[in-house]
Amino acid sequence: RPALDARGLTKTYGPTVALAGVGIELWPGEAVAVMGASGSGKSTLLHCLAGVLAPDSGAVVLHDPRHGSLDLAGLDAEERAAVRLRSFGFVFQQGLLLPELTAVENVALPLMLGGVERRAAQARAARWMAALGLTGLEERRLGQLSGGQQQRVAIARAQVSDPVVVFADEPTGALDSSTSGEVMSALLSSTRDRGRTLVVVSHDPLVADTCDRVVHLADGFVVRGGGR
Ligand code: ADP
Ligand code: ADP
């Protein structure tokens, strides 16, 4: 079964049709790149799939082995926030990490928001940091980390709750090409290679090349790559 199965998604902003009836299946163990021109609907699609935004119509069915199946489109904002916390991870170009916290506190934050006690949360966060090659950097603040290190902290944070799907929006957008390659392989090894699903919105051809499948959007439609 797909981890996420979206059908007939539409979303308009006044006269602007951002999504015009999009269907997409995202399977466990695959990495999918979403590409398309600026304004083609990539962010809107990502936000509907991730339960950040409610579509005007259509379904976004999540199959979470731990929590069962549900349609995100039928939930209110508070319920979607709870699903995001327990089933999804997020990596953005920048801005998701809190500069006043240490690296390990940033990684532990989703667990602590989910009610895990501080010491246990930080121990699990430190294990994820080690898996991403960040041992020794636990007590650093963001300003004391390179761009690539900051993105690996963001990946550790996205992973720490063991999400079913990780959503990444231009994760390599602020990085040079060799650092981009490192960040993509960290993303792939911590998600796809562990049987989870990775969805990446990007303009970067390197991202498309390293993913298993590319979904192309144009004017709110999937023009290529929607099914497996
Ligand atoms: P992309 O991520 O591919 O650049 P978006 O999903 O951001 O595309 O936008 C799709 C279309 O919807 C664009 O025409 C954009 O201007 C419009 N749009 C997106 N968000 C809003 C909003 N909050 N209000 C009005 N129009 C929006
Ligand atoms: P833009 O649409 O300008 O490109 P981004 O793609 O970086 O901005 O995403 C910002 C959006 O993601 C915001 O709408 C915000 O509500 C949402 N968002 C940010 N962090 C989280 C999170 N941890 N969980 C869910 N949604 C988030």
Side-chain angles (χ1 to χ4, degrees):
R1 279 204 301 198
L4 264 184
D5 192 353
R7 296 278 154 236
L9 293 182
T10 70
K11 181 74 188 177
T12 59
Y13 296 102
T16 304
V17 180
L19 296 178
V22 166
I24 181 171
E25 293 177 356
L26 302 167
W27 291 78
E30 72 169 352
V32 177
V34 178
M35 303 189 87
S38 184
S40 60
K42 301 183 298 295
S43 293
T44 305
L45 175 61
L46 191 78
H47 292 157
C48 287
L49 293 174
V52 174
L53 197 63
D56 296 336
S57 63
V60 181
V61 178
L62 167 67
H63 299 291
D64 182 335
R66 285 168 305 193
H67 299 285
S69 301
L70 52 80
D71 181 1
L72 294 175
L75 304 181
D76 66 27
E78 195 179 329
E79 293 166 326
R80 291 199 308 274
V83 171
R84 288 202 300 274
L85 196 58
R86 73 177 189 221
S87 299
F88 296 150
F90 295 88
V91 178
F92 295 110
Q93 182 169 339
Q94 55 199 15
L96 204 56
L97 298 172
L98 301 175
E100 60 274 23
L101 299 184
T102 64
V104 73
E105 286 169 344
N106 266 288
V107 175
L109 197 60
L111 292 174
M112 293 181 65
L113 291 174
V116 178
E117 178 267 326
R118 181 183 184 86
R119 192 176 310 179
Q122 293 208 3
R124 203 147 124 208
R127 284 201 295 278
W128 264 110
M129 287 185 69
L132 287 154
L134 295 166
T135 300
L137 304 179
E138 291 84 355
E139 301 307 323
R140 298 256 187 115
R141 289 176 203 274
L142 280 195
Q144 303 170 301
L145 297 170
S146 71
Q149 288 169 340
Q150 289 184 28
Q151 279 309 66
R152 280 184 284 143
V153 170
I155 293 167
R157 173 168 150 158
Q159 285 303 329
V160 75
S161 314
D162 200 15
V164 178
V165 184
V166 170
F167 296 94
D169 194 349
E170 296 286 359
T172 64
L175 305 175
D176 64 42
S177 62
S178 79
T179 312
S180 294
E182 286 166 25
V183 163
M184 267 317 285
S185 52
L187 261 178
L188 291 166
S189 62
S190 59
T191 57
R192 191 262 316 267
D193 298 349
R194 299 175 56 250
R196 307 299 193 268
T197 305
L198 175 66
V199 186
V200 192
V201 168
S202 183
H203 290 96
D204 184 348
L206 171 106
V207 169
D209 287 348
T210 52
C211 285
D212 303 306
R213 181 151 70 86
V214 181
V215 174
H216 286 273
L217 289 185
D219 298 328
F221 288 101
V222 172
V223 291
R224 196 157 76 237
R228 185 166 68 168

